[in-house]
Amino acid sequence: EDQVTQSPEALRLQEGESSSLNCSYTVSGLRGLFWYRQDPGKGPEFLFTLYSAGEEKEKERLKATLTKKESFLHITAPKPEDSATYLCAVQAEAGNNRKLIWGLGTSLAVNP
Amino acid sequence: DGGITQSPKYLFRKEGQNVTLSCEQNLNHDAMYWYRQDPGQGLRLIYYSQIVNDFQKGDIAEGYSVSREKKESFPLTVTSAQKNPTAFYLCASRDWAGGTEQYFGPGTRLTVT
C-alpha cells in the first residue's frame, strides 16, 4: 500500500538552530514528491517538487533532498516566521497517477 | 493577480441543509481538486476534475457533489447525506501541461450544528 510518513510530528527550535524534517514514502514508482508549507487556517503553499533520487532544491533557508526511500527538508538558521506545518505528498507512477498521497505533516515552532 | 479564491472563508449551517462551497481560479489550469482536512488526518481527496464537464470521485466522495461547467469554476456541494461535514475544505488546481504540483486556495471552514 502506498504510504507517506512524516517525522517528527512536532518540532520546537530556537531561532538559528538548524534541523531537518523527514518524509518517508512507500510507493510503487515515484512520479514526484512535493513539499508544502501550511500556516494555521490557510491553504498549503507550494515549496518544492523533487522527481528523482539525488535531486536537491533550495529556497531561502529551506533545502529539500530526495533519496529512493525518503526526503528531507533542511531548515538552516530558522526564524520565527518559519513556524508552520510542513506537509509532504507523493505521486505514484502506477495506478491513478493523478492523486497525491499525503503525510500528516510536521508542526514546526521557532522560538525567538 | 493569478490565483485561487474560495468563498466564504467561514460557513455555518444547520444539520440537514445542503451547502455549496465556491472555488474559482484564474490560472488557466485544466485540473481542479477538492480536499477536506481534519485534525490528525492527512488531506483527503473528495472529487477532482481534469477537464470541463468531467469529474471523478476521490477517496471520500459520499455525501458530496460537484460540477464543472466552466474551466474556472469547480463548486462543491456538501449534502445532508454527509455524516460528518464539519471540516476545513481546500480547493486546488493544476496545470495539466505544466508541472505536477497543485496550487491551493485559502480554504473554507464549514461548521454544521
Side-chain angles (χ1 to χ4, degrees), chain A residues 38-112:
Chain A
Q38 186 175 26
D39 292 304
K42 296 188 177 181
E45 174 190 348
F46 170 71
L47 294 174
F48 305 108
T49 306
L50 302 167
Y51 293 104
S52 56
E55 189 174 1
E56 299 181 352
K57 288 193 177 173
E58 286 188 69
K59 179 181 179 180
E60 297 180 352
R61 295 177 292 282
L62 300 177
K63 179 180 178 180
T65 62
L66 181 65
T67 72
K68 289 186 178 180
K69 294 183 178 181
E70 59 192 347
S71 175
F72 291 95
L73 185 65
H74 306 278
I75 304 177
T76 301
K79 298 182 177 181
E81 53 261 42
D82 294 321
S83 298
T85 295
Y86 291 85
L87 301 173
C88 173
V90 300
Q91 189 173 39
E93 282 187 345
N96 187 340
N97 64 12
R98 300 171 187 88
K99 297 199 308 184
L100 298 182
I101 305 156
W102 292 85
L104 299 184
T106 293
S107 176
L108 173 66
V110 181
N111 297 325

Side-chain angles (χ1 to χ4, degrees), chain B residues 45-106:
Chain B
L45 182 64
I46 304 173
Y47 268 98
Y48 65 98
S49 168
Q50 298 172 67
I51 56 173
V52 174
N53 293 322
D54 184 58
F55 48 83
Q56 282 78 43
K57 292 181 179 180
D59 300 316
I60 56 164
E62 185 176 350
Y64 299 98
S65 66
V66 294
S67 63
R68 186 88 186 273
E69 298 176 1
K70 299 186 300 181
K71 187 175 183 178
E72 304 79 22
S73 179
F74 191 41
L76 173 75
T77 297
V78 184
T79 76
S80 56
Q82 169 49 235
K83 295 179 181 177
N84 188 18
T86 295
F88 189 49
Y89 289 88
L90 289 160
C91 178
S93 71
R94 173 190 159 190
D95 181 4
W96 202 252
T100 51
E101 61 270 12
Q102 296 178 14
Y103 293 90
F104 285 84

